[in-house]
Structures are given as structure tokens and as C-alpha cells.
Amino acid sequence: MSRLRAALDPKSVAIIGASDNPNKVGGRPVHFLGKFGFAGKIYPINPSRPEIQGHKSYASLQDLPEAPEMVIVAVAGDNAIAAVEDCAAFGVKIAVVMASGFGEVDAGEGKAKERRMVAAAHKAGMRIVGPNSQGLANFGTGAIASFSTMFMDMDRAAEDAKGHVAMLSQSGALSTVPVGFLRQKGIGVRHTHATGNDSDITVGELACAVAEDSEVKLMLLYLESIPDKRYLEELASIALDRDLPIIALKSGRTDAGKAAAQSHTGALANEDRVVDAFFEHHGIWRAPDMRGLVEATELYLKDWKPQGRRLVAISNSGAVCVLTADAATSVGMPMAKLAPQTDAKLKGILPSFATTTNPIDLTAALLSNSALFGDILPVIAEDPAADAFLIGVPVAGPGYDVEAFSRDAAAFGKQTGKPLVVAATQPSVAQAFAANGTSVFPTEVEAVTALHQFLAHRELMAKTRARRTALAPGEALIASPAAETTMLNEADSLGLLAARGIPVVPHRLCLSRNEAIAAFNIIGGPVVVKGCSADIAHKSELGLVRLGVNSADTTGDIFTEMEQIIAKNGSRFDGVIVASMAGGRREMMIGAHRDPVFGPVVVVGDGGKYVEIVKDTRLLLPPFTAQDVRDALQSLRIAPLFAGVRGEPPMDLDALVDAVVKVGALMRDPAARVASLDLNPVMLGSEGQGCVVVDAVVFHGV
Amino acid sequence: MSRLRAALDPKSVAIIGASDNPNKVGGRPVHFLGKFGFAGKIYPINPSRPEIQGHKSYASLQDLPEAPEMVIVAVAGDNAIAAVEDCAAFGVKIAVVMASGFGEVDAGEGKAKERRMVAAAHKAGMRIVGPNSQGLANFGTGAIASFSTMFMDMDRAAEDAKGHVAMLSQSGALSTVPVGFLRQKGIGVRHTHATGNDSDITVGELACAVAEDSEVKLMLLYLESIPDKRYLEELASIALDRDLPIIALKSGRTDAGKAAAQSHTGALANEDRVVDAFFEHHGIWRAPDMRGLVEATELYLKDWKPQGRRLVAISNSGAVCVLTADAATSVGMPMAKLAPQTDAKLKGILPSFATTTNPIDLTAALLSNSALFGDILPVIAEDPAADAFLIGVPVAGPGYDVEAFSRDAAAFGKQTGKPLVVAATQPSVAQAFAANGTSVFPTEVEAVTALHQFLAHRELMAKTRARRTALAPGEALIASPAAETTMLNEADSLGLLAARGIPVVPHRLCLSRNEAIAAFNIIGGPVVVKGCSADIAHKSELGLVRLGVNSADTTGDIFTEMEQIIAKNGSRFDGVIVASMAGGRREMMIGAHRDPVFGPVVVVGDGGKYVEIVKDTRLLLPPFTAQDVRDALQSLRIAPLFAGVRGEPPMDLDALVDAVVKVGALMRDPAARVASLDLNPVMLGSEGQGCVVVDAVVFHGV
């Protein structure tokens, strides 16, 4: 670890506001540094006591024999600010500020105090964690600069120091709750950091540093707000380079959650669908909740190299077979179709009333013959269709040789090198399998959900890596829209798109009645006639859209009429557009905007008037590949229509994909200055007929 | 218990095939009857031993001093059949047949053997449980006629005999796995029955008997197939009468699950969406998986009378506040909006950096003042907007007065009488709350999910009860469609609907060119002209649909043309329909068919050509009320369109609701003989403009 070394592996730690009581905020770090074997110097600072928890206590920072690399600021309010300034002046490298009551409470004065602390620190080359931080805990080095209550009932467990999981969070509670779950499963957590208000060192920056610890094999994040994406992008890149999976729980998914987050952190809310797209784009798995954050952890710590998702399930209960098939299908894991020779071999081993097709039901016959289990596993192991295995043992105990099952399962797991999970309700049975190193879950649903997450996450990481290879390197454009954006008129909007090779409806911008008549004659009726003004967003409401116009004269009359309407409206008259009545089979939409945090976002999906109601769209963050667009389109609810249903020919998906890729490039091009665009409908035709943008609104200004 | 008393509370039990080894199928029941305090006579039958597990053993049934009320048949294969026949002849009332290898393996000979056993039994007035049954277990009476391994590590726990949960299942494993989960939570299960192949007594019939046990306060069902709905309907009715909630886990939700179920039970698959509708119709909560079956159990055992779903959350972690708001919103529980006086009072108690809006964040201040918790609860208790409460304590321990928290929470729960759950990860904290009788879950997600299920299930039961009151009594028509159904031609289909008051498009059936011309002149153009033949299902493909016909002469010409097409096709010519071009704002659909198990099913939703792709429909089982239809329509994805969006007026939902109610009545009327109908599109207009069936296909034959 070279980055932020003093935060993760300091040579010396001082505690301002140290307490002799290990249950006080200022007492906890002193207690933990001793308890968890920190090898560096410990300097409690408290003028009223000669000794704190067995360590010599100092009256002030200035009394220390050296400038400590890290100082924990455990005093409150303005005293914390003074302490930080002292630290900066004294040559401290990292200050961990636990005091609360800053930006999280008061976006005005509270935030200003934070900024003053950070300014003082940066002037002296010091960095700050917090304020409002529960602290940092690196069990690998014993540097536990934290007041977490969770660590009180932990011993210096060797498995933590040797653990391979890192947990980073802004919240204190959420930095330790996952740790509690993992410890209950016997999984050690090497890093547990809570960065609080992120006034200087953010959770993302710290995560980049932690990702350099080669002992870390899985990183878990809890995020309440993402004010800046840069470190997360860098983190994702480091993680992909060293094949480190990252699982993130980002709260504030719902409006109520966003409101709660805002009243508790004061941070701006992120648009949740964009957060989804951002994580997906970077190969980070987004956990839906706490369970999803931790539940699959042990699968990540195996050295499995999965090849696919096809599941084979084996149980002594037919019902568990059925429930497993349901659960697997629901999450998106198909049941493997076993080879005929596998079936034949299984039939030779199992009783006639057992089921030899997958899922394999051993039936209660296992009660009379515990060897059945060990006999069939090698047969199944050989089947090429099997990517992963689930063994369901809902009930066992006296009469069953559970020890043999667990030995056989462990040997089988080793033999295949493929993912294997066990579902066992009874603690005694679960413990027997776990003791032999097999991953056990209470029911088939948890087992299949964890297995699916692990496999799908691995696929996502591979896909992300492939995209990095396919695309030229280069930063996505981060720039936010300017405070003032201006709407282009429709002709300019269409022109801008056409210049980028995005097909738009054949049209003419006409500046006179005669031009309109000529346009009709060239384009051929029926046509659409639309008034064109950069001042008018909602044309239909003013009568500025006329469909199915059938004659040149009428077109001319409409020109005159629309010119008058626009004049009466006091708007700028940019002309009248005469356009083809574009055909096509489905109204699609392509949209794009710039998220204030995540930058350009492209939206693609089912279009038409009710796009906000039908809500069948997907988000993509540029840069993306044609395959990314295709995958997004194929995951729409209306996706079956693309192949053609009820005897229809396929639609021209390639053309739509190409248009979306071009919109992605447009949004990344600073010269284009596009703040947002809304192309709806984009008429999609049959294969070979392409797609065409019919209506377009583009806003300029970046 | 009057029904099936000998199955649940026999005075005497004999075991054919009794074993001295308590781990053999024939040894387990002897062991359990002793262990769990069965007070009746126990008669092991085994000719090769004088004594079995301390009980005198008999050589044969005929050697017994009396006809036992119940006999457990623990011998295999054909011996089991012979034993059942012996039992019937000897005057036994209930035979529990454990042998497998019958209908579940072989739908031919296996099923035939079952039928022969049942016939022999019924002739003598005996009833059969099984075959392939793991057996029955009534801990209330100690009648444990089961070979479940799960019971081996259970003592005669007093709490089971006093338990209030009944678990019924066809599967053996799934009859006991939920019991294992509940025991881990300290919840006693009074009944645990596995009925196996249901050749005679089905799980539904047994459930009706168990529902008469007044000690049962919650019934759990695991079902793999529903070959007959009658007992489930009766069960639902008994349960509603005595306010007994029922939760059902029905597997085979997916195609893979259905295939697995079929290869393991041989039973026909149920259509899963109809199963959903059936349970909903009868007030039964359908659990998605094993967790959903058991997770909310303890909430049902409180005597809460919930009034609504608005949640108040309180935590010492802001992150848990956010995650709780997310979780609650996701499942459909709004966060309560607290009164201004509540906020004012909270501000007087909590430190300035705490959050007093709901969710209420006590912050880490709780570490320095454990009394905060007890101080605010009475304030919140008084708020009228609070329907239910969640207290999140993600981390506590040394430094916190957890005992006081749990006492305060319990007192608060008593004070309000409203649902209260706690989310606590640490076992020590969870135990402290549980010890005071509060329901504890590991995270806010489980807590909110369970709370929502309990509240939503109570609402469903109330709604079901209201429907029973609103509707005239009367059986839903169960009849399946006849083997042969016949399609009505479109004119007859429309006529049948019109006769029931369902609005259909204005049309004339014309038998001559002149009639067609006259029809055009009466209806007024443009019209639709359609060839009419009961032989032709797909008119469009033969060119028998012409839209937008604008003149009387053309109408006449089309008549002639269509008459020829139908003749050439060798089909019966029923005439030509001339119909209005019906307007409207949205193409809806109404469908109906007869499910072979569940009877009439009505489908309503978004219509048009792509109804199968768009999949925005809901199922309703008649009889249903207008409110049921309205609720179904309002739960569609397109529901926002009904109120009007983007300045549009509302649509005439009343008219659509009325049409659906009439279709429901039609499907219940035996005289109508409708096997199925497909009305698509049903054009829905603006308020006051009604709806109108444009295309209709009705099949006759019930």
C-alpha cells in the first residue's frame, strides 16, 4: 500500500481526547489499538491523566516525542477544529475526525467548518478522514482508529488479520453490520473503514488505496451518496486490472430513501437508475440490500473459474428439487440438460423410484443407503453440461451418514473445481458440510441467489473487461450542462443528428409559402407540416403540427397559417418543416442527458407518447459498444417484437443499434456541445428498412 | 375436531412393520409415540419380535385385542397393499401408508394400485393417508404417526403441544423444514402433516380438519400440485369464518419447476398465474419461497389488529433509517408523515444533530445517553399517522443499555397495541429484545418484508370477507370445458355479448350484397367489412378483414369478394359483417377461459395485437365485484393512462369495469355454455364515452 499509507498502516497514532474508559469514543481506539496488536507507537493525549489504559498519556500534541503519522480527533465541536489545525501545524499526516455536527447537520455553517479544516490540512500536506467518521480499522496491521461498538466483542481473531474481505462505508453502523454477518459465518474481514462526511478523503479514494492491498480478494462498499464519481471509476479500473470483485450497496433507491438520506447526510440525491447503469458499466455488482451485500461472500473467496450458469441440483427431497428449479429459473440460471450417458449411469445406481433427470431426486432411499450420495457425484461431475452444483439436504440426522455426505461433497467440489453450494436447514447438517469447507446456505433460495450473483458478477466483470479492450482509451466526458442551455429548433436538431450519420426523416425547412409548395412536390404526399421555432417546445398545443397533408396547395396554406400563429405567439419564426410521413413498425425512443455526477447518460427503449407510463427503457453510459446496446435492447419487455411475432419479419435492430452508438459518441464529443436530446419517436422498420428519427429536440450548452 | 378425528386424535395406533430400531421407517413412529407422550394404545406389529422399543409386539393385526383406530403401514410395495386390505377388513378407521413407489413413480400401474387400495378402504369405511406419506404428527395429542428425521432431535417440547402453528404438506421434507426454522426461532408447531400422494385424504381435506382445532392460529401449506380445488375452497371458507390466516407455498412456479414436479409426483401442472389468482381470491397469502412461508410467523401470533400500513422507523444509525425507507417503499409500505406536534416534542428531547422526521435518526448520541430511546417512544406512540413501527439497532453492546432498550420497546409495544418489529444483527442484542417478547429480524429488509406480509395479508383477508358479504352466495361454476368446444362465428359471438349488456361495435350481419350496401348507408362510413364463418378463426390471413371502407358500392363489392373467398376455402358462409370503425383511446382486452382445476378465469388488461408480448394483464376468478375489477385495472402498468396524462381527460373506467363484471357473470352462468372468449380489442373511450368490443371470439361447449 503506497497510497494513503499513513491512514492504513501508520507507524504511530495519537488520540486527542483519549479516555481511560474503553466505552467512550476517546477510549475505544486506545483499547482497540492494544487489543488488536497494533505494533506502532500509541500516544494518548489527555492533560488530566498521567496514564490512559496502561499507556503514558500526554498533555498536548506538542508534548509528544515525535509528530505522529496519524491522529485520532476524539474531541467534539470547535475543539475538533482546533485539534485539526494543531495536527496540521505539527506535521501529522492523517487526522481521523470523529466529531459530528458538521456538514451532515448543516449544509451552510457545518459545511463551511469542514472546508476550513480541510484547507488548513492541505496547506500543511495533511489529509483528513471525516468528520463524523466512526474511524478506520485495518486488522491486517492492527491500526484500529475506530470507536465501533461491534469490535468490542471481537478478540484479536487471527482470521481477521488473515481475512480477505474489505468493507468500506460512509456510515459507521453500515461499516460494521456486514462485518458482524460475516463473522457469524466465520469469515474474517481485513479492512473495516467508515469515512463519515468525506470532506477530504472520500470513501472512493480510500477504497483505491485499500484495493492495493494484495490480501484483499473481495471489496464491499456501502454508499449513501456519490457526490463525485472519479475515485469510483479509478477504483473500478484498479479492481478490473487485478481481478478484484466489488459489491456495492447504494441506498436511497426510493424517494422515501432519498429523503431520509438527505435529512441525515445533507448530500444531494443520485438518480437511482443512473447509479445502476454506472455500477453495471464498471463491473461493480449492485447489492439490493444488506443481505445481497454479504450473502455470497464465501463464494468469491473460493478460487472458482466459472464457465457458465447451468445448474445441476441433487437432493433427497423431491420438493427441494422443485423449489430449486423454481428458484434457479427465477434468478436466471437454467437447469443443465444432462447427457444420455449420465442418465444411463445414474439409472444403474439409483432405485427405480428416484429421478435421474436434473434436478436429481435421490428420494427417502438415502435414509436406507447413505452411499447413494457418494456414488452418484462422480457420475455427475463428468457431465459437460454442468456448470455449477447445488446439493439440497433439507432434513438429515440419525439414520444418515452426514459426515460421509460432507466428505463426499468436499471431494466432489475439489474434483470438479466448479462452483458447489449446499442448502441445509438444520444447524447440525450445515455445520458438517461447512466443516469440510463447503459453502452452506439455509435454503435453496439463498443458495441459488448467492450462486447466481457470483456467476453473473463474474460475467459482468468479463464483459466490462472486454469493453475496455474493444474501445479506444479515453475519458468519458464528465462536464455537466451549463447553467443555461438553449433549445435548438427542430430543423437544427435534425440537422445536427444527420451530420452525425443518424438517419432522420426526409424533410425541408421552408422559409416561404413557395418553398413549402416546392417541398411538397419533391417529397410527395402525404406529408407532415410543422412550425419551426427555437422558442416553442410544445408545438402540438399551438396547432403547429399537421399530419397527413395531401396537397401542395394545402401545404402552402398551412405555411401561411403557421407563420401567423408563431408571430401571434411572439416567438421567433425559424420556418416551416415539410417532412415525409415516416413509416415503420414500432415507435422507439433514444434520449440522452448529462447527469450532474455521472456525466452523459443515454436512454433507449419503447417510444411513443406514453414513454413515461410504459417505462420500458434501459440506460447506458458512454462509451459503450454495439453489443452493449444490443444487450440493452434485448432486455426490454418488448424485445420479442424485434425478432417478429405472429408471422412478421424481424425488425432492423442493427440500424437502431447503430443510431444509439452514434448518439453515445455525440454525447462524448465536447465539440457537439449537446446538453440533452430527446428523439421520439424513432420509427423502426423491418430488416433492411432501417430506422428514422421523426421528432427531435436537442438542447445545446455544455 | 370432529372431521377425520381418528387421523388427528386416535385412541389407538398399530404399526405394521414396526422396528426396534428407531432410525428405521417402522421404528420411528413407535419411538415418537412414546417420546411425544401419546396417551392412547400403541400396538407394534412384527411377527419376529416379542417386544418393540419396550412395547409388547404382535404377530399380526388379527392378534390385537381390538381394532386400532389408526394403523401405520410401514412395509413396502405389495406388502403395503395387503396390509391396507387387512386394515380395511379389520375395522381400522385410518391407514397411514408410508410405502413409496406408487402413483408418484408410475402414472399407470402405480396409480392403479393406489385406486385399488382406496376402493378396498372405502368399501369398509376406512380412509387412507398416502401412500408415499411421511406421516402425520399432532403434537397437541402426541399422535405422531411419522418417520420424520427432523423430530429425532426434538424433545417433547411443551411449547409444541401448546404451539399455534399447523404445517401441512404433500412432501415429507417440506412438512418439516419449516418446522425446523420455526423451532430455531422458538416457535412451537402443533401440527406437522405430510400426506404424500393424496390418493384418498388430500392435504386440503386434512387441512379442513386441522382448521377445526381452535388452538391453531396460523396455517402453513406446502403444495406441489392442486388436482382438486374443492377442499381448498372449503378450507378458505372455514378459515375466514374463524379468522385463521393461511399462507401457502405452491411450487412449480416456473417451467423448470413444473417439469421437476411432474417427474417427481406425476401430477399435472397448474397454470401458475391462475394459482396466484385463486389464492388471492380466497384470502390465502402465497409465499414466494420457504422464507416467505415462515418468516412472518410470529407476527401472526400476536394479537395485533392493524389499521393501516404507514411505518415509523427509529434507529441509532442514519444508514439504517435510509435502508428502512428504501425497503418499506419497495414492498409497498409508505413512511408515516408525523404530526407537527410530534416533531416539536421530539426536537425537545433529541440533540440538534438528530433527525426528528420519520425515519427518526437518534445518531450515535444514543451511545452517550441510553435514555433517549425510552424518552421518544411515548411521543411517537401518540401520533395518529403511525400504523406500525420498526426499531433498528444495527450495533449496540458495551456502552449501551440494551436491557433498557428491550424493556422500553416491549412497554411501547404494549402501550400502542400496534405492530412493532426490531431489526438487530448482533445475536446478543436480538436475544435481549426477543426475551421481552418483541419480534426481531436480522436486518430491516427481513423485518419490513415480514411486517408488510402480515399487514397486506390482513388486508387481503378483510377484502375477501367483504366480497363474500357483497356477493350473493352461490358456487362458482366448476365445470370444465367439454372435450369438444365449437367456435361461434363473430356475429353470434357479438350477439351473445350484446344480449348480456356488454357493449359491442354497431354492426350488421349481411347475407346479400344489397344488405351490405344498406348496412353501409345506415351505419355510415367509413366501415369495417369482415367475412363471417364459424369455420374460420384467422380472418385477416384470408383477406377477410377490410378496414376504412368509404362507400356503399365498395362495401357491396367486398361482400361479393368475401363470399367467394369463403366458398373457395371450403368453409361455411355465415354472411359478411359491416361494422362501424369504432373509436376510442386505448385498446384493452377482456378474455376468459375455464381452467381444468380452478374453473372460470377472467383476464383483463392492455389489449391490441401484442397482448402476449406486452403482458400487462390481471386475472380474476368469478365471482368478483366491481371493486375487484377496479383494483385489478389500477394495478396494471398502464393504469396511469386511465386518469389521463399530458392533459388528456380520464377514460371511462366505469364502463370497462362493468363489461368485465358482466363477462364474469356470463362465465358463471351454465346456460350460457361459454367455454372461452377473447375480446380484443375492447376500445376504451373518454369518460362518458364507454367502451366497445370490436373483435370477439367465443367458444361454446361446457
Side-chain angles (χ1 to χ4, degrees), chain B residues 445-527:
Chain B
V445 173
E446 286 103 339
V448 161
T449 304
L451 194 53
H452 169 259
Q453 173 183 329
F454 169 70
L455 297 173
H457 189 177
R458 279 286 164 195
E459 287 172 15
L460 177 65
M461 289 173 71
K463 186 176 161 181
T464 309
R465 214 175 272 120
R467 186 193 306 117
R468 291 213 301 176
T469 312
L471 294 170
E475 274 287 291
L477 191 70
I478 295 166
S480 296
E484 288 283 317
T485 60
T486 52
M487 191 178 84
L488 301 192
N489 71 38
E490 185 158 11
D492 290 345
S493 294
L494 291 172
L496 184 149
L497 297 168
R500 299 280 169 158
I502 298 164
V504 301
V505 65
H507 67 282
R508 300 257 163 157
L509 178 64
C510 310
L511 296 175
S512 68
R513 187 189 153 93
N514 282 345
E515 277 183 29
I517 288 169
F520 177 91
N521 289 328
I522 291 164
I523 293 169
V527 298

Side-chain angles (χ1 to χ4, degrees), chain B residues 176-220:
Chain B
T176 54
V177 169
V179 175
F181 275 116
L182 292 176
R183 298 192 123 258
Q184 286 173 32
K185 294 190 114 190
I187 300 171
V189 179
R190 190 177 179 87
H191 292 268
T192 307
H193 305 300
T195 58
N197 289 4
D198 286 13
S199 69
D200 178 17
I201 297 175
T202 62
V203 68
E205 183 179 1
L206 189 65
C208 288
V210 171
E212 289 184 356
D213 181 345
S214 60
E215 289 297 318
V216 172
K217 293 190 179 174
L218 174 67
M219 181 175 279
L220 309 179

Side-chain angles (χ1 to χ4, degrees), chain B residues 513-574:
Chain B
R513 187 189 153 93
N514 282 345
E515 277 183 29
I517 288 169
F520 177 91
N521 289 328
I522 291 164
I523 293 169
V527 298
V528 186
V529 185
K530 296 192 268 191
C532 187
S533 166
D535 294 346
I536 298 173
H538 300 288
K539 286 190 280 282
S540 303
E541 293 168 16
L542 292 174
L544 292 175
V545 179
R546 294 282 284 277
L547 302 173
V549 179
N550 269 311
S551 83
D553 275 352
T554 315
T555 304
D557 294 348
I558 293 172
F559 179 95
T560 311
E561 197 184 312
M562 287 187 174
E563 189 172 22
Q564 287 164 358
I565 292 172
I566 292 173
K568 251 189 221 155
N569 199 50
S571 302
R572 195 178 81 185
F573 178 70
D574 294 333

Side-chain angles (χ1 to χ4, degrees), chain B residues 202-278:
Chain B
T202 62
V203 68
E205 183 179 1
L206 189 65
C208 288
V210 171
E212 289 184 356
D213 181 345
S214 60
E215 289 297 318
V216 172
K217 293 190 179 174
L218 174 67
M219 181 175 279
L220 309 179
L221 300 177
Y222 171 75
L223 303 169
E224 211 142 278
S225 65
I226 305 179
D228 188 338
K229 66 165 181 168
R230 280 173 305 164
Y231 282 118
L232 290 181
E233 286 180 333
E234 186 181 346
L235 172 65
S237 174
I238 295 169
L240 277 182
D241 284 340
R242 54 160 290 212
D243 202 26
L244 169 68
I246 302 174
I247 306 171
L249 173 58
K250 163 73 175 68
S251 64
R253 295 175 75 92
T254 63
D255 286 346
K258 283 194 185 94
Q262 193 140 17
S263 69
H264 135 72
T265 65
L268 276 178
N270 300 107
E271 173 65 33
D272 200 62
R273 290 189 73 196
V274 182
V275 173
D276 272 342
F278 176 77

Side-chain angles (χ1 to χ4, degrees), chain A residues 137-402:
Chain A
N138 180 351
F139 291 94
T141 61
I144 315 298
S146 167
F147 68 93
S148 166
T149 302
M150 185 72 89
F151 304 156
M152 288 304 286
D153 61 359
M154 282 167 50
D155 295 322
R156 180 183 162 79
E159 77 265 21
D160 275 315
K162 290 186 203 139
H164 299 294
V165 179
M167 173 76 226
L168 290 100
S169 163
Q170 292 155 329
S171 150
L174 266 285
S175 73
T176 53
V177 169
V179 175
F181 275 117
L182 292 176
R183 300 193 121 255
Q184 286 173 32
K185 293 189 117 193
I187 299 171
V189 178
R190 191 177 179 86
H191 292 267
T192 307
H193 305 299
T195 58
N197 288 4
D198 286 12
S199 69
D200 178 18
I201 297 175
T202 62
V203 68
E205 183 179 1
L206 189 66
C208 289
V210 171
E212 288 184 358
D213 181 345
S214 61
E215 289 297 319
V216 171
K217 293 190 177 174
L218 174 66
M219 181 176 278
L220 309 180
L221 301 176
Y222 172 76
L223 303 168
E224 211 142 278
S225 66
I226 305 180
D228 188 338
K229 67 166 181 167
R230 279 173 307 163
Y231 282 118
L232 290 180
E233 285 180 334
E234 186 182 346
L235 172 66
S237 175
I238 296 169
L240 277 181
D241 283 341
R242 55 160 291 211
D243 202 26
L244 169 68
I246 302 174
I247 306 171
L249 173 57
K250 163 72 175 68
S251 64
R253 296 175 73 93
T254 62
D255 286 346
K258 282 194 186 94
Q262 194 140 15
S263 69
H264 133 72
T265 64
L268 277 178
N270 300 108
E271 173 64 35
D272 200 63
R273 291 189 73 196
V274 182
V275 174
D276 272 341
F278 176 77
F279 285 139
E280 188 178 343
H281 186 82
H282 289 287
I284 296 173
W285 187 264
R286 185 171 186 186
D289 52 33
M290 174 80 66
R291 285 284 181 194
L293 185 63
V294 296
E295 199 86 328
T297 296
E298 56 183 306
L299 308 190
Y300 286 88
L301 301 179
K302 310 269 180 190
D303 285 318
W304 292 330
K305 304 279 176 247
Q307 298 299 316
R309 291 192 190 187
R310 293 164 304 174
L311 182 69
V312 176
I314 309 139
S315 179
N316 60 331
S317 157
V320 168
C321 286
V322 180
L323 289 169
T324 303
D326 274 347
T329 308
S330 300
V331 295
M333 291 183 74
M335 298 302 292
K337 194 170 158 40
L338 298 177
Q341 58 268 36
T342 304
D343 189 62
K345 283 186 198 158
L346 290 176
K347 281 199 164 59
I349 297 168
L350 294 174
S352 63
F353 46 89
T355 306
T356 54
T357 52
N358 179 28
I360 298 161
D361 177 10
L362 304 179
T363 75
L366 190 63
L367 180 55
S368 31
N369 180 7
S370 278
L372 279 183
F373 193 73
D375 289 347
I376 67 153
L377 290 181
V379 175
I380 299 163
E382 286 172 14
D383 198 291
D387 293 321
F389 305 93
L390 182 146
I391 297 174
V393 188
V395 188
Y400 293 91
D401 190 348
V402 176

